Amino acid sequence: MTSPLFPGPSRRALLKTAGKATAVVAAAALSLTACSTGPAGSAPGSGTGAAAQSASSAFPVTIKHVFGETTIKERPKRVVTVSWVNDDVAIALGVVPVGVPKNEWGGNDKGSTPWKDSALEAVGAGFGSEKAPVQFSEADGVNFTEIAKLNPDVILGAYSGLKEEDYKKLSEIAPVVAYPELAYGTPWQETTSMIGKALGKETEATKLISGTEATIKDKVSKYPQLAGKTYIYGNLEPAKSDGVNVYTANDNRPRFLDSLGMKLAPVVEQNSVGSKEFFIPWSAEKANELDSDIFVTWVPDAATTGSITADPLLGQIPAIKSGALVADSDNTLTLSISASSPLSLPWSLDTFLPQLASAADKAAK
């Protein structure tokens, strides 16, 4: 599978190399609707009262996706997720999956993330507790064996890179919610809507989306210098002759910067017309044509930032020449934006927005 984090290497190869939590909206959703499906072998919670009855009455539901349609006959009690994002969304909607993939890139020593830990701990299901989800590895691709052991009622992959053969094999285990069109290209809002429908929580999903968007809007209002600034979000590798890739409007990173009031650079828009890929390769010899106010990239370490600015070709990128380069080596921060979710985005803002604002100030000089 292609990595949603960086173009080039497979996700399998990438995984083998391997701020302040502010998810207020998600925590509110959890407190209102928390319903643990429980670890494998335990009696799953089914919820009580009018909310549970309303959720049950929503079924059966049919969800369209890239491989066709999936019908879920009744409210799932045992939820398993694949890839990134899907587990965040389920948890933010108050459903603790029975099984989730480990965060083997950008994760902590629990194979998790700060935003996921915070949300799980809020409902007494933190990793290490009896109610915690079972974790399985995806370092070698979809873990069919471990997923089957969990006996799920539904498998969530609305944001993923599932191939058709993966989808068919998983469908032999349980109904699968695949992505709507592009691998790793589902906007977090659409992922949330699809998963909300699959779990009988459409109303909660709508509130979660609007609440998360309001949080982003409130945070970014403190940085007016970002409004209208053009940007390129890419991947720069000075050690490679073809060390430039830029993300298209199909990718969640540019979508996130758009939500901040920034604008994708015209050079990227023009060169990705009609593309269904999440990135386009760019010759380092033409790096000086990548014109934007700000350039955002991930780097493996601080030393790489110096290598980028000193590179005779990459250093000619206009935003880099002006000092408006945002290059962070925090894998967890990169993951929170690259695989964005209603839990990860609020967590990222207090760290990422000041970095962008600093670059915007330099671009204005």
Side-chain angles (χ1 to χ4, degrees), residues 300-316:
D301 49 54
T304 302
T305 303
S307 298
I308 290 172
T309 57
D311 188 274
L313 296 177
L314 302 185
Q316 296 307 304

Side-chain angles (χ1 to χ4, degrees), residues 260-281:
L260 303 180
M262 300 174 69
K263 297 183 182 297
L264 182 62
V267 65
V268 178
E269 287 189 333
Q270 294 162 7
N271 284 276
S272 57
V273 171
S275 174
K276 291 189 175 181
E277 299 296 330
F278 73 91
F279 77 97
I280 53 174

Side-chain angles (χ1 to χ4, degrees), residues 204-245:
E204 292 92 332
T206 299
K207 291 180 180 178
L208 181 60
I209 292 168
S210 61
T212 304
E213 290 177 336
T215 298
I216 294 172
K217 185 177 180 179
D218 176 65
K219 292 282 187 178
V220 77
S221 68
K222 299 175 177 62
Y223 301 95
Q225 64 267 56
L226 295 179
K229 286 291 188 294
T230 60
Y231 71 86
I232 295 174
Y233 206 135
N235 183 38
L236 301 176
E237 297 184 58
K240 295 184 178 180
S241 59
D242 59 343
V244 184
N245 294 285

Side-chain angles (χ1 to χ4, degrees), residues 29-68:
L30 282 165
S31 66
L32 289 171
T33 62
C35 170
S36 172
T37 59
S42 69
S46 58
T48 58
Q53 293 175 2
S54 176
S56 296
S57 66
F59 293 89
V61 297
T62 299
I63 299 174
K64 295 181 179 181
H65 50 73
V66 68
F67 303 121

Side-chain angles (χ1 to χ4, degrees), residues 48-341:
T48 58
Q53 293 175 2
S54 176
S56 296
S57 66
F59 293 89
V61 297
T62 299
I63 299 174
K64 295 181 179 181
H65 50 73
V66 68
F67 303 121
E69 296 182 346
T70 294
T71 297
I72 303 170
K73 296 181 179 179
E74 57 186 27
R75 186 169 67 91
K77 297 180 180 178
R78 299 185 63 80
V79 176
V80 169
T81 68
V82 297
S83 188
W84 292 286
V85 181
N86 304 289
D87 52 352
D88 283 6
V89 172
I91 294 165
L93 289 173
V95 174
V96 179
V98 294
V100 300
K102 293 179 181 178
N103 289 101
E104 293 172 285
W105 193 95
N108 53 28
D109 56 2
K110 298 178 183 178
S112 181
T113 59
W115 54 89
K116 187 158 49 184
D117 287 342
S118 178
L120 286 174
E121 288 165 4
V123 292
F127 291 111
S129 70
E130 291 183 1
K131 295 182 179 180
V134 171
Q135 293 174 292
F136 50 85
S137 174
E138 286 189 337
D140 293 316
V142 180
N143 199 327
F144 302 101
T145 301
E146 294 304 314
I147 291 172
K149 287 180 182 178
L150 293 166
N151 192 29
D153 297 324
V154 70
I155 300 168
L156 302 177
Y159 176 91
S160 70
L162 291 175
K163 296 180 180 179
E164 188 166 12
E165 55 265 37
D166 298 328
Y167 170 76
K168 289 180 178 178
K169 194 169 181 179
L170 285 173
S171 295
E172 295 174 1
I173 300 172
V176 181
V177 177
Y179 51 92
E181 184 177 5
L182 300 177
Y184 297 119
T186 316
W188 67 265
Q189 294 95 329
E190 190 169 4
T191 299
T192 302
S193 293
M194 292 177 72
I195 290 177
K197 184 175 182 179
L199 300 179
K201 290 181 173 287
E202 288 188 271
T203 299
E204 292 92 332
T206 299
K207 291 180 180 178
L208 181 60
I209 292 168
S210 61
T212 304
E213 290 177 336
T215 298
I216 294 172
K217 185 177 180 179
D218 176 65
K219 292 282 187 178
V220 77
S221 68
K222 299 175 177 62
Y223 301 95
Q225 64 267 56
L226 295 179
K229 286 291 188 294
T230 60
Y231 71 86
I232 295 174
Y233 206 135
N235 183 38
L236 301 176
E237 297 184 58
K240 295 184 178 180
S241 59
D242 59 343
V244 184
N245 294 285
V246 295
Y247 299 112
T248 70
N250 297 324
D251 188 78
N252 278 336
R253 282 157 283 210
R255 289 189 184 119
F256 173 53
L257 295 186
D258 286 349
S259 75
L260 303 180
M262 300 174 69
K263 297 183 182 297
L264 182 62
V267 65
V268 178
E269 287 189 333
Q270 294 162 7
N271 284 276
S272 57
V273 171
S275 174
K276 291 189 175 181
E277 299 296 330
F278 73 91
F279 77 97
I280 53 174
W282 195 271
S283 170
E285 283 72 20
K286 297 193 300 179
N288 63 311
E289 297 176 15
L290 291 172
D291 190 18
S292 65
D293 292 322
I294 298 171
F295 198 106
V296 185
T297 188
W298 169 87
V299 290
D301 49 54
T304 302
T305 303
S307 298
I308 290 172
T309 57
D311 188 274
L313 296 177
L314 302 185
Q316 296 307 304
I317 294 173
I320 294 178
K321 289 182 70 174
S322 68
L325 172 67
V326 178
D328 200 294
S329 59
D330 183 342
N331 293 350
T332 304
L333 180 62
T334 298
L335 179 67
S336 70
I337 298 165
S338 302
S340 52
S341 77

